[in-house]
Amino acid sequence: YRGTEFPRLFGRYFYTDYCPTPYFSLRPDGAGGWIREQARPNNGGTGTSCIAENSALELFVANVNNGTIKRIVDQCPMPAPDITLNGFEITSTEADTYTWFLDGVEIPGAETQTITAQAAGDYYVVGTYGTCSLISDTVQVVGTAIASLGAVELKVIPVPARDRITLQGVPAGTVRVELVDLTGRVVLSRSWSGSGQGVIELGQLESAAYVLRLTDATGAVIAQRNVQVQH
């Protein structure tokens, strides 16, 4: 994509198949490699014959079976939330809902536009806009004069992950491990028992950002971590 209407798509390479299959995109990982992501679950059935650009460099998809031409667009074209730090107060630009994270872990109950930092670390917010969920940049809070939110010892190795992840420091009482995409859909669910360390096979998960969620026997969330899968 080389167009100008959808800045977040710029530089992505889109592809699919003639047969029914998802749309995928490739984007640079910043280290000379590429990250593959599923852009759409299906391509509408057999007959996708080409993806091409018009004079404005916008992308279109042609289907030879039904004679249709469809445009590739960003389904979430609105700006991602922007956050600012004033003292220990962190404020997001307006969104429908807010979910705040500290060092990759969701902060329980932090669902307002402005929060007060209770511990040093890196903060960001996931804002929703209708069906879209977008992540802000990170701001860093530095200082020791603020109270601790309570350390979570859970570690996820490696970062980014490929085929499997090793969990260390899994809290007692964990009975299930889940990976959730940024739309809230559970894409992987495994039962857990025994020690505080183990391996989770990621199977065929697409390269993307996920939230690792640990739950107890009642379904309550014990701990969370962001997980980046990169093939």
Side-chain angles (χ1 to χ4, degrees), residues 166-215:
T166 297
L167 306 184
Q168 297 178 348
V170 175
T174 299
V175 301
R176 184 156 295 277
V177 176
E178 298 176 333
L179 278 176
V180 183
D181 66 18
L182 294 184
T183 69
R185 181 172 61 98
V186 176
V187 296
L188 182 148
S189 181
R190 300 284 187 271
S191 60
W192 184 276
S193 62
S195 69
Q197 177 169 323
V199 175
I200 298 293
E201 299 290 339
L202 299 180
Q204 300 299 313
L205 286 183
E206 299 296 332
S207 295
Y210 300 93
V211 175
L212 175 74
R213 187 165 66 190
L214 309 183
T215 60

Side-chain angles (χ1 to χ4, degrees), residues 78-224:
M78 67 286 295
D82 184 45
I83 57 177
T84 54
L85 178 64
N86 182 14
F88 291 138
E89 284 197 346
I90 312 172
T91 301
S92 169
T93 51
E94 189 172 354
D96 294 338
T97 66
Y98 312 88
T99 305
W100 289 90
F101 291 80
L102 168 60
D103 292 335
V105 180
E106 182 178 341
I107 305 172
E111 300 174 347
T112 55
Q113 187 171 1
T114 298
I115 64 169
T116 300
Q118 298 295 315
D122 295 326
Y123 288 79
Y124 67 88
V125 70
V126 175
T128 63
Y129 306 83
T131 59
C132 297
S133 295
L134 299 175
I135 304 175
S136 72
D137 288 334
T138 299
V139 297
Q140 185 178 48
V141 175
V142 179
T144 58
I146 48 182
S148 172
L149 284 173
V152 178
E153 297 180 356
L154 174 66
K155 294 183 179 179
V156 181
I157 304 170
V159 178
R162 176 177 281 184
D163 302 316
R164 62 185 60 85
I165 52 176
T166 297
L167 306 184
Q168 297 178 348
V170 175
T174 299
V175 301
R176 184 156 295 277
V177 176
E178 298 176 333
L179 278 176
V180 183
D181 66 18
L182 294 184
T183 69
R185 181 172 61 98
V186 176
V187 296
L188 182 148
S189 181
R190 300 284 187 271
S191 60
W192 184 276
S193 62
S195 69
Q197 177 169 323
V199 175
I200 298 293
E201 299 290 339
L202 299 180
Q204 300 299 313
L205 286 183
E206 299 296 332
S207 295
Y210 300 93
V211 175
L212 175 74
R213 187 165 66 190
L214 309 183
T215 60
D216 63 16
T218 69
V221 176
I222 300 176
Q224 295 189 147

Side-chain angles (χ1 to χ4, degrees), residues 43 54 67 155:
N43 63 1
N54 67 359
K155 294 183 179 179

